[in-house]
Amino acid sequence: EMPEPFEQLVKKALEFSLYAHRPDGLIPALSDGDSRCFLDLLQQGYDLYGGEALLYVASRGAQGQPPTVRSKGFPDSGYYVLRSGWGDQTEAYQDERYLIFDCGPLGAGNHGHLDLLSFEAYAYGTPLIIDPGRYTYDESGPVNWRVRFRNTAAHNTVLVDGRNQTRYEWKKSRFKISGPEPDRSMVAFVSKPGLDYLHGIARSYEYPAIHGRKVLFINGEYWVILDLLRADESHRYDLHFHLAPPAQGEVSLSVSHDTLSVYSPKLVLAQPLVPTVRPSIEEGFVSTSYGKKERAPIVRLTQDASSTCFLTVVYPYKNTAPKISVEAPPTSGDLRRLLDGRQ
């Protein structure tokens, strides 16, 4: 029999696993983890402790009762999960929308990635915007794949002046973290019927720009992401979206009179048309298990500015891609109020 404090930790781990599993039954490849299925452990948790929600997720909705909470935050780890539902209403379990957001610590042991304010999004049976994973620990060869997969640029967040969020340098035989991790704050997490809202802020010691990210989940259907950058001097900001391997060779850009749209299978990314934003589709890689990588496209949106805002609509669809029109982001006077959390 386990000591009671240890059992409580096991139950907390089971609760996190319950929410972290995507509707397809896999956990994202966060930091140095692989994208794997641990539903059998949820089944074991149910066998040990009961709990109809554990059985429900372990069986992907076939048995038990759905969790009473749709979206959930885990402040100690910094992970927040937004879901449209549990497949117990009008949607099939595997078709529900899901987003996991990272506003947590880098962690000890050289296994954390430089991914503050990154996220992964899933809908209608497939991951759409994905954490590329780790691929390898090997740092030999002409390409240091360990560094490439761990860098800030390898995640769905904003890269400032081409620099990692934390100093990451060669030390004797391999690259290691050599500077303080960014200061982070989770300003808000709200979950109500029809609207979920996240607001996190990252302050790196590698550059003076402050990055605030707000995520709104509208009616369980789509996300609106506001990336707010503030600095006194001009910087280069690269907003990255790493798409899943099925999007390879299937991504296109479209420009209307007011909107820039990126079309890929089951996903539309849309931003207001801003002349200073430079879009590009680049080659990337995704690794869902150690030692294996697949080609996958990266959407990059670049802007040179001091303070600015990227407003992105992340709209998944099941059958037909919608046409989306997006209004211009707020004026510079409103930007400071947004970043300070006053809007």
Side-chain angles (χ1 to χ4, degrees), residues 96-113:
E96 298 283 9
R97 273 69 66 206
Y98 161 105
L99 181 145
I100 187 165
F101 177 77
D102 181 1
C103 191
L106 181 59
N110 210 38
H111 289 289
H113 286 201

Side-chain angles (χ1 to χ4, degrees), residues 23-273:
D24 63 352
L26 299 176
I27 283 181
L30 304 171
S31 290
D32 273 351
D34 292 335
S35 183
R36 296 175 57 190
C37 174
F38 297 97
L39 297 182
D40 57 335
L41 296 182
L42 293 183
Q43 178 67 53
Q44 290 181 40
Y46 171 75
D47 294 339
L48 283 170
Y49 304 116
E52 292 297 306
L54 289 175
L55 179 60
Y56 188 85
V57 176
S59 65
R60 296 179 62 201
Q63 302 176 65
Q65 295 295 322
T68 57
V69 176
R70 178 174 51 81
S71 297
K72 183 78 172 179
F74 297 88
D76 289 343
S77 68
Y79 287 116
Y80 294 79
V81 181
L82 309 182
R83 304 182 76 107
S84 58
W86 294 99
D88 58 327
Q89 300 296 322
T90 60
E91 299 274 4
Y93 186 93
Q94 68 272 12
D95 284 346
E96 298 283 9
R97 273 69 66 206
Y98 161 105
L99 181 145
I100 187 165
F101 177 77
D102 181 1
C103 191
L106 181 59
N110 210 38
H111 289 289
H113 286 201
L114 312 180
D115 59 355
L116 189 56
L117 305 188
S118 187
F119 72 96
E120 177 164 321
Y122 165 106
Y124 302 115
T126 186
L128 300 171
I129 298 172
I130 195 168
D131 189 306
R134 60 174 169 170
Y135 178 50
T136 185
Y137 293 132
D138 185 4
E139 297 196 20
S140 63
V143 177
N144 190 325
W145 290 105
R146 168 63 172 163
V147 170
R148 181 164 172 175
F149 272 81
R150 200 181 184 195
N151 278 341
T152 299
H155 297 87
N156 302 304
T157 187
V158 175
L159 185 71
V160 179
D161 294 334
R163 301 181 66 87
N164 285 313
Q165 294 170 338
T166 302
R167 189 161 301 179
Y168 186 37
E169 297 177 323
W170 182 262
K171 297 286 186 179
K172 295 183 179 179
S173 62
R174 63 191 307 115
F175 274 78
K176 291 187 178 181
I177 301 297
S178 60
E181 64 179 281
D183 292 332
R184 66 192 184 280
S185 56
M186 193 66 190
V187 180
F189 167 54
V190 177
S191 182
K192 295 182 178 181
L195 177 67
D196 290 345
Y197 171 65
L198 299 170
H199 180 193
I201 294 179
R203 296 175 174 87
S204 173
Y205 290 89
E206 295 301 293
Y207 42 79
I210 298 172
H211 178 201
R213 170 166 275 182
K214 300 186 177 190
V215 180
L216 295 93
F217 190 24
I218 311 296
N219 292 326
E221 296 178 14
Y222 64 95
W223 298 275
V224 176
I225 299 179
L226 284 165
D227 285 295
L228 303 138
L229 289 308
R230 189 177 72 194
D232 293 329
E233 305 292 335
S234 182
H235 296 273
R236 172 173 168 158
Y237 301 120
D238 290 302
L239 172 60
H240 292 105
F241 296 105
H242 293 259
L243 306 185
Q248 181 69 16
E250 301 292 332
V251 182
S252 62
L253 292 171
S254 176
V255 176
S256 68
H257 72 282
D258 64 354
T259 303
L260 167 68
S261 299
V262 180
Y263 291 91
S264 68
K266 296 190 178 182
L267 177 68
V268 179
L269 299 173
Q271 290 191 350
L273 188 61

